[in-house]
Amino acid sequence: ELKVEQNPLFLSMQEGKNYTIYCNYSTTSDRLYWYRQDPGKSLESLFVLLSNGAVKQEGRLMASLDTKARLSTLHITAAVHDLSATYFCAVNRGLHYNTDKLIFGTGTRLQVFP
Amino acid sequence: GAVVSQHPSRVICKSGTSVKIECRSLDFQATTMFWYRQFPKQSLMLMATSNEGSKATYEQGVEKDKFLINHASLTLSTLTVTSAHPEDSSFYICSPGGRGGTQYFGPGTRLLVL
């Protein structure tokens, strides 16, 4: 059974600081996603990582994937208050490209304070 | 990104009534629609997969007679919560499948059963 774990569950960080959120998954998968969720809202897509060693960056966020270690990281650089949200990683449950069932991590609730 | 709509955005109903949630894929013909549920402060859990023109498949522990899914066209899938009870209060989110690549999510429907 595919399991996806994130840590930390809660992260309170000061503006300007850097931090990393970790996402571990238990079985082989061909895609890993990162999403952002604001309170009361649905999911906003951040990154899709498709291959070992993939790295993607958007603004202050950078995501990477190590398929051998079954680990993805979401690195936050010089955090700002607008990044406060809950971040989820999700893994494609199937092994085929068109199997879109996602198993979500536990989520990391990020709060950035002045 | 993909345009996905859900209606209603929020609904309050009395215990024992049925509630229908519509999910529309506005820019993509979705042969598959995934329905997720998110309880407060928790992650998303896949409930079921609707397939256009055929029966839906349900995840373990999800009652198919309670959560009726219809996928009558390539742009519309509906989830009906029958005889809703307070424990069904949740955030229901749909996601069209079959695009490959990024998975997009609808804006969600917040259900409160009194």
Side-chain angles (χ1 to χ4, degrees):
Chain A
E1 180 186 349
L2 176 58
K3 293 185 179 180
V4 184
E5 296 182 345
Q6 281 180 242
N7 69 84
L9 296 182
F10 299 99
L11 178 55
S12 182
M13 56 189 299
Q14 193 172 19
E15 280 187 333
K17 299 293 186 182
N18 305 330
Y19 208 84
T20 300
I21 299 170
Y22 297 88
C23 174
N24 289 90
Y25 54 100
S26 60
T27 61
T28 302
S29 178
D30 64 350
R31 275 173 288 166
L32 188 136
Y33 302 82
W34 283 97
Y35 291 93
R36 167 181 173 146
Q37 185 178 39
D38 291 300
K41 301 294 179 112
S42 187
L43 301 181
E44 174 189 350
S45 177
L46 296 175
F47 302 107
V48 182
L49 302 170
L50 301 177
S51 60
N52 187 42
V55 177
K56 291 192 175 181
Q57 183 166 3
E58 182 72 35
R60 301 176 187 273
L61 301 178
M62 183 174 70
S64 66
L65 178 62
D66 181 343
T67 57
K68 293 182 180 179
R70 296 176 186 161
L71 170 69
S72 180
T73 61
L74 180 66
H75 187 74
I76 302 158
T77 302
V80 293
H81 179 71
D82 286 350
L83 290 179
S84 298
T86 299
Y87 293 85
F88 290 98
C89 65
V91 176
N92 177 30
R93 193 166 79 178
L95 293 179
H96 303 291
Y97 181 69
N98 211 29
T99 304
D100 299 319
K101 296 184 179 182
L102 298 184
I103 302 299
F104 280 83
T106 47
T108 296
R109 187 174 172 187
L110 171 65
Q111 184 176 22
V112 181
F113 60 91
Chain B
V3 182
V4 185
S5 70
Q6 281 185 241
H7 178 79
S9 58
R10 63 177 63 221
V11 57
I12 302 173
C13 69
K14 292 182 178 180
S15 184
T17 60
S18 295
V19 175
K20 179 186 282 189
I21 302 170
E22 292 185 349
C23 175
R24 295 182 185 274
S25 177
L26 302 180
D27 68 338
F28 171 68
Q29 293 187 323
T31 56
T32 303
M33 191 72 75
F34 299 101
W35 286 94
Y36 292 85
R37 177 169 57 182
Q38 184 181 33
F39 292 109
K41 308 290 186 186
Q42 295 188 24
S43 187
L44 278 77
M45 295 290 291
L46 179 65
M47 296 176 62
T49 304
S50 72
N51 303 290
E52 191 267 336
S54 64
K55 289 184 179 181
T57 56
Y58 292 80
E59 297 301 306
Q60 191 173 10
V62 179
E63 298 176 56
K64 63 179 182 180
D65 295 330
K66 181 170 183 62
F67 298 99
L68 301 180
I69 289 177
N70 183 277
H71 195 147
S73 76
L74 292 173
T75 58
L76 174 63
S77 176
T78 61
L79 168 67
T80 301
V81 184
T82 62
S83 187
H85 291 284
E87 58 265 30
D88 298 322
S89 298
S90 188
F91 193 43
Y92 293 86
I93 310 174
C94 64
S95 176
R99 293 182 73 106
T102 301
Q103 274 298 103
Y104 293 100
F105 289 81
T109 297
R110 191 163 303 281
L111 171 64
L112 176 62
V113 185
L114 302 176

